[in-house]
Amino acid sequence: MQNAQTNYFQLFGFPEQFQIDTQSLELNFRKIQSASHPDRFVSATADKRLQSMQMATTANEAYSTLKNPATRAKYLLELQGINAIADTNTAMPMDFLMQQMEWREQLEDAKAAKNIPALEQLLTELQVESKSIQADLANLFDAKRDYSSATDTARKLIFIDKVCADIHQAIEQLE
Amino acid sequence: MALLQISEPGMSAAPHQHRLAVGIDLGTTNSLVATVRSGMSTVLQDDHGHSLLPSVVRYMPNGDVIVGHEAQAQQSADPVNTIVSVKRFMGRSLNDITDKAHIPYRFVDGKDAEATRTLQIQTRAGLKTPVEISAEILKTLKARAEKSLGGELVGAVITVPAYFDDAQRQATKDAARIAGINVLRLLNEPTAAAVAYGLDNAAEGTFVIYDLGGGTFDVSILRLSKGVFEVLATNGDSTLGGDDFDHRIYCWVLDKVRESNSDFTPLSEEDTRLLLTKARQAKEWLTDNFEAQIVCRLSNNTLIDIALTAPQLVEITQHLVTKTLTPTRKAMRDANLSIEAIDGVVLVGGATRMPHLRHAVQDYFKQEPLTNLDPDKVVALGAAIQANILAGNKNDDDLLLLDVTPLSLGLETMGGLVEKVIHRNSTLPIARAQEFTTYKDGQTAMSIHVVQGERELVSDCRSLARFELRGIPPMAAGATRIRVTFTVDADGLLSVSAREQSTGIASHIAVKPSYGLSEDEITTMLKASFNNAEIDKTARMLAEARVSAGAIISSVTVALNVDGNLISDAEKHLIESGIQRLQLLTATEDATAIHNAVDALNHVTEAFAAERMNASVSRALSGKNLEDIEL
């Protein structure tokens, strides 16, 4: 139930930009939930309970979207009318494609060798890469407002996010 | 949008009046009821001063039903009509119960339609469902509370294991309804424990609640900050508990007896219950003592007299202790936390009194667990605090619980695959929509199958419900868009609605248990998803290949029927043989060959597709012209 009218940044009182203060995000999330959570409306009218349910749901959705840098970037682009993961939006620079394949190979090799430390090492490596891409995104979104370049860079971040999720799953399988 | 399952308020209109609300811990072994009196959460006692009510229900020959200590005392004498640990059967079908041989009940599979096939137990009072049996326990607690508080309850918060699935939660709520209790909220047991602990100790930071009850294991990681209790991750095993330790001791005793007595016959129902009771007593004794003597005389006059030492208990049950650490690690990983980030570990559940279990937890978290609250009472105490707030007795908005859903929810898509819609550990309440499309031209109905679990194949997840969306406007395959919305409310209960986007045709269901899990299902669903990821991947590839094969065969066949006249007989023949070849391959297990044949069929139909496109464009254009003229 993504509420089309609710702008997640506005909901949290933030400007529409990539860089956000995660502490304020958490704090404001708790404030919004404190005001809207269904536990506050157990004895209210059905109407109010429904509103509370919808608000709390939107707040949860907004919080999880803004908390994760990859989904945050994707959402910022959506607000510009750009679908970062559309089928037509698949171009990637050659060097990143090569890098991608290398990570995928490392993941498969470590999985085959049941090597958890190697998987954790790869995870650390990807997190470093993710941080650097996030810095690029902050520049592209917030300083340059270059949404075309931001789209390409955001796709890298989304990709890295996906590989990290796969690594987590691989570690769980091996344990 | 009638998505919500809303319980009757049942609140008195009078302001300022203290509303009687209680917290109920409906446990596998023992149940409790607590309330907040003069600002203090207190467990209510019965007339004999007992806080714990053994979760034992006996159906008497005279038609009475007795619950608690008295029933427990008679369980060995009348095992068939005395039901213990009924919580293990909540929301389960007969197929879900594996160790039937060691449970002295006469189980009957539900005979109704698939949707209500929960198991039943044959007693002298007739067939009883676990929901009805649990309701007897709840009625006893309700009566205790109303006597003790001197008035009618406005409602109760009832606790459930965090790892309970939708069917088990729904069954618990149904039991409360049968007992005449207004459920203010279903609350996860570890979260309830965190509330009691957190408020008592004014705790701030990140805490682990390790909860090993009689029949279930939960582990939750929470962040406590300024009265907000935010669950970061939860995991568990809904078929692992203190009972399993008793059972292990019981098996060990039988093995010992068989060693010395080779013609030892299988135990009667009475003897099984007697020996299990002795096993539990030995386990409890060994918490503070080095050796326990297990002595009992069986109905065939065999005397059992065996000593069990503390180190022996460790040896025969260490694997059960280890089993709790796997969900613990998963929860830590899902919360994205390292051991160092944990400020405290709270032990909950009577089974956490076992010294070797405490050591294992201490070793894993590298800190001494917190045990300053009675592990048997802490859940009920926390539930009472939440009940007091929900009933409106406390006006300060300091306390807020943000809980999560323990298992992922998904939909069945073509080929028996699961499309996950809500991932495990999402904060509640949550609603997520997912769009699906039709598979065949002119398709007017769509079956929606909702499942719960982490695996990729529908057959490996727990089926929650099926429903049908009818009256979809006939359109080309893929042109219809159906939006399915999953909503999980603050009780952790799911409802689902579906809507066709262009016409707004809606369908809604409240999810009721669909059909049973095969034994392992909920216990091993997560574990299996990790062990079998490779098998899943192969199966997934094959299923996907078959789906794309089915789709192209169906669309090309329709196209040949409609527009076959656009191409030559030779071309037509080429396409037909391509279809035949693909049909034969679909029956094989070779995903790559199927994919290749799909590509080949795509290739030979290219020219035909172009002809069709041209024809349809000119048809559309001429149609437009016609309209223009008419205008």
Side-chain angles (χ1 to χ4, degrees):
Chain A
M1 198 175 341
Q2 276 146 329
N3 198 332
Q5 299 94 313
T6 311
N7 178 309
Y8 295 165
F9 287 96
Q10 278 171 17
L11 181 65
F12 281 89
F14 290 160
E16 269 182 39
Q17 60 178 46
F18 184 74
Q19 275 177 299
I20 54 170
D21 175 4
T22 48
Q23 270 188 327
S24 316
L25 181 71
E26 276 177 28
L27 201 69
N28 291 353
F29 171 63
R30 285 157 181 236
K31 278 186 194 159
I32 296 167
Q33 283 296 8
S34 288
S36 69
H37 195 275
D39 281 359
R40 299 274 186 253
F41 297 89
V42 171
S43 51
T45 60
D47 201 37
K48 279 238 170 89
R49 277 180 291 168
L50 184 61
Q51 274 179 12
S52 139
M53 173 82 179
Q54 285 173 339
M55 188 64 223
T57 299
T58 306
N60 280 333
E61 184 72 33
Y63 179 58
S64 67
T65 303
L66 298 189
K67 194 168 58 173
N68 177 328
T71 51
R72 185 166 68 233
K74 187 166 163 275
Y75 181 66
L76 269 172
L77 290 168
E78 268 168 37
L79 292 177
Q80 297 298 322
I82 301 166
N83 180 357
I85 53 163
D87 291 341
T88 50
N89 243 335
T90 50
M92 285 262 194
M94 189 48 92
D95 56 342
F96 188 75
L97 281 173
M98 298 301 287
Q99 179 70 69
Q100 267 190 42
M101 277 164 63
E102 217 170 282
W103 285 328
R104 283 277 169 210
E105 268 169 32
Q106 283 182 37
L107 169 58
E108 292 307 320
D109 290 350
K111 249 166 86 175
K114 300 192 191 307
N115 188 344
I116 293 180
L119 287 168
E120 281 165 349
Q121 171 61 35
L122 182 58
L123 206 53
T124 316
E125 208 179 292
L126 284 165
Q127 274 154 1
V128 171
E129 185 68 26
S130 169
K131 283 271 179 281
S132 125
I133 294 176
Q134 286 175 43
D136 292 348
L137 278 176
N139 183 36
L140 290 170
F141 273 119
D142 305 344
K144 295 188 175 156
R145 310 214 165 261
D146 177 353
Y147 296 110
S148 162
S149 307
T151 307
D152 293 341
T153 310
R155 277 210 314 279
K156 288 187 189 173
L157 193 62
I158 292 165
F159 176 81
I160 287 178
D161 216 39
K162 176 97 181 50
V163 181
C164 286
D166 290 348
I167 296 172
H168 277 294
Q169 213 204 337
I171 292 174
E172 284 199 357
Q173 281 166 31
L174 292 175
E175 270 190 351
Chain B
M1 190 197 58
L3 277 177
L4 300 172
Q5 296 166 321
I6 295 162
S7 44
E8 289 302 314
M11 301 288 176
S12 97
H16 309 309
Q17 189 189 335
H18 185 82
R19 292 164 169 154
L20 300 180
V22 294
I24 293 176
D25 174 2
L26 183 61
T28 308
T29 318
N30 293 298
S31 297
L32 298 93
V33 57
T35 196
V36 174
R37 270 199 288 215
S38 330
M40 281 283 292
S41 189
T42 328
V43 172
L44 301 174
Q45 298 179 338
D46 67 6
D47 295 341
H48 306 286
H50 295 299
S51 297
L52 302 185
L53 176 74
S55 302
V56 183
V57 177
R58 181 176 178 209
Y59 293 93
M60 303 289 284
N62 66 359
D64 287 355
V65 183
I66 57 168
V67 179
H69 288 97
E70 203 185 333
Q72 190 179 41
Q74 296 158 358
Q75 59 176 334
S76 302
D78 187 15
V80 173
N81 298 296
T82 312
I83 317 301
V84 303
S85 300
V86 67
K87 188 174 178 178
R88 290 201 149 190
F89 312 134
M90 292 290 270
R92 290 285 172 257
S93 77
L94 197 51
N95 286 337
D96 301 331
I97 314 298
T98 41
D99 51 346
K100 288 190 247 331
H102 294 290
I103 305 174
Y105 307 134
R106 300 190 178 140
F107 288 113
V108 179
D109 211 348
K111 288 200 176 50
D112 301 336
E114 201 176 67
T116 53
R117 254 190 54 212
T118 46
L119 66 80
Q120 293 174 297
I121 296 171
Q122 181 73 57
T123 70
R124 66 161 63 91
L127 281 178
K128 295 289 172 189
T129 63
V131 168
E132 293 167 281
I133 299 165
S134 297
E136 295 295 342
I137 299 169
L138 289 171
K139 277 181 209 165
T140 306
L141 292 172
K142 181 179 184 237
R144 179 192 288 188
E146 290 184 340
K147 191 174 173 197
S148 170
L149 301 174
E152 204 176 321
L153 299 182
V154 296
V157 166
I158 299 180
T159 62
V160 288
Y163 219 55
F164 252 20
D165 67 21
D166 194 81
Q168 294 167 306
R169 285 169 196 270
Q170 192 62 56
T172 305
K173 218 172 173 181
D174 291 346
R177 194 179 310 136
I178 293 175
I181 295 173
N182 170 42
V183 179
L184 298 169
R185 182 72 76 234
L186 294 180
L187 178 60
N188 289 333
E189 287 161 10
T191 310
V195 169
Y197 179 84
L199 292 187
D200 220 47
N201 297 273
E204 294 267 311
T206 307
F207 288 80
V208 172
I209 310 293
Y210 177 104
D211 178 0
L212 187 66
T216 56
F217 172 66
D218 282 332
V219 56
S220 287
I221 299 164
L222 292 100
R223 191 158 52 205
L224 280 55
S225 170
K226 299 183 182 69
V228 179
F229 291 68
E230 186 184 355
V231 179
L232 302 176
T234 194
N235 212 298
D237 185 335
S238 63
T239 61
L240 176 65
D243 283 3
D244 295 290
F245 289 75
D246 303 348
H247 189 250
R248 196 59 207 99
I249 297 169
Y250 160 91
C251 291
W252 178 84
V253 171
L254 285 187
D255 287 346
K256 288 282 171 198
V257 172
R258 286 202 188 94
E259 274 173 25
S260 56
N261 180 0
S262 54
D263 53 334
F264 188 74
T265 52
L267 294 186
S268 67
E269 288 155 340
E270 287 78 7
D271 289 340
T272 297
R273 183 48 68 203
L274 177 65
L275 192 52
L276 278 170
T277 306
K278 294 288 175 186
R280 177 171 53 79
Q281 289 165 351
K283 176 190 74 178
E284 288 168 3
W285 177 256
L286 287 176
T287 293
D288 300 308
N289 300 278
F290 180 77
E291 189 174 285
Q293 204 67 28
I294 300 170
V295 186
C296 64
R297 191 172 289 281
L298 302 180
S299 46
N300 64 5
N301 223 20
T302 310
L303 179 72
I304 291 179
D305 187 353
I306 291 176
L308 175 67
T309 66
Q312 279 172 324
L313 176 65
V314 171
E315 195 191 316
I316 64 174
T317 60
Q318 195 61 38
H319 67 287
L320 294 173
V321 173
T322 309
K323 221 174 150 183
T324 65
L325 295 179
T326 308
T328 306
R329 271 195 295 272
K330 285 178 191 159
M332 288 292 288
R333 205 166 21 239
D334 281 352
N336 202 12
L337 290 174
S338 62
I339 303 284
E340 295 73 43
I342 301 301
D343 296 303
V345 182
V346 180
L347 294 184
V348 182
T352 60
R353 288 202 175 87
M354 285 184 282
H356 63 307
L357 196 115
R358 289 191 174 187
H359 288 144
V361 174
Q362 182 164 349
D363 285 351
Y364 180 75
F365 285 105
K366 300 189 175 77
Q367 60 178 294
E368 202 173 324
L370 304 159
T371 54
N372 55 342
L373 285 179
D374 184 337
D376 282 322
K377 294 181 181 163
V378 61
V379 168
L381 293 172
I385 294 167
Q386 175 73 341
N388 193 48
I389 295 168
L390 296 184
N393 289 327
K394 210 175 168 207
N395 288 323
D396 67 62
D397 288 346
D398 275 355
L399 185 86
L400 180 69
L401 311 185
L402 299 174
D403 221 316
V404 299
T405 179
L407 295 160
S408 299
L409 288 163
L411 292 179
E412 174 170 356
T413 62
M414 292 305 296
L417 303 177
V418 180
E419 178 88 37
K420 274 184 197 162
V421 181
I422 293 177
H423 288 266
R424 68 174 190 219
N425 292 322
S426 300
T427 305
L428 300 177
I430 185 164
R432 277 277 163 79
Q434 184 94 7
E435 276 192 4
F436 289 88
T437 188
T438 45
Y439 171 64
K440 283 188 175 158
D441 287 344
Q443 187 176 339
T444 57
M446 183 179 262
S447 172
I448 310 259
H449 184 198
V450 188
V451 300
Q452 192 162 31
E454 310 305 321
R455 298 281 298 274
E456 291 187 338
L457 294 177
V458 166
S459 50
D460 297 326
C461 289
R462 181 167 172 107
S463 168
L464 287 184
R466 292 169 190 276
F467 68 110
E468 237 175 48
L469 187 70
R470 294 175 187 280
I472 298 170
M475 289 190 232
T480 325
R481 287 176 307 128
I482 292 156
R483 195 176 171 82
V484 177
T485 306
F486 284 55
T487 306
V488 184
D489 64 16
D491 287 329
L493 287 171
L494 169 71
S495 58
V496 183
S497 65
R499 184 178 291 274
E500 201 288 303
Q501 290 297 83
S502 57
T503 60
I505 292 169
S507 176
H508 168 257
I509 50 158
V511 176
K512 291 274 183 186
S514 188
Y515 56 85
L517 288 166
S518 66
E519 149 60 11
D520 319 300
E521 226 165 321
I522 205 109
T523 28
T524 57
M525 246 190 297
L526 274 164
K527 185 171 57 186
S529 103
F530 310 132
N531 297 343
N532 293 320
E534 280 311 307
I535 304 169
D536 276 352
K537 205 173 158 191
T538 317
R540 192 177 180 111
M541 274 177 63
L542 182 61
E544 278 169 356
R546 283 179 177 157
V547 169
S548 56
I552 191 172
I553 289 171
S554 148
S555 68
V556 173
T557 309
V558 170
L560 279 179
N561 287 340
V562 177
D563 289 325
N565 57 331
L566 294 174
I567 49 172
S568 71
D569 283 352
E571 270 180 289
K572 208 169 167 179
H573 182 72
L574 201 64
I575 292 171
E576 278 165 350
S577 66
I579 291 175
Q580 244 170 27
R581 194 178 125 69
L582 185 55
Q583 269 166 341
L584 288 175
L585 280 169
T586 308
T588 70
E589 306 274 303
D590 189 344
T592 316
I594 299 172
H595 269 306
N596 290 342
V598 167
D599 287 347
L601 185 57
N602 261 323
H603 186 70
V604 298
T605 53
E606 257 169 33
F608 178 37
E611 286 295 333
R612 287 196 78 204
M613 180 55 72
N614 288 339
S616 88
V617 166
S618 36
R619 269 199 295 266
L621 286 176
S622 62
K624 213 168 221 166
N625 287 339
L626 199 63
E627 278 169 26
D628 287 347
I629 293 162
E630 278 170 1
L631 277 170

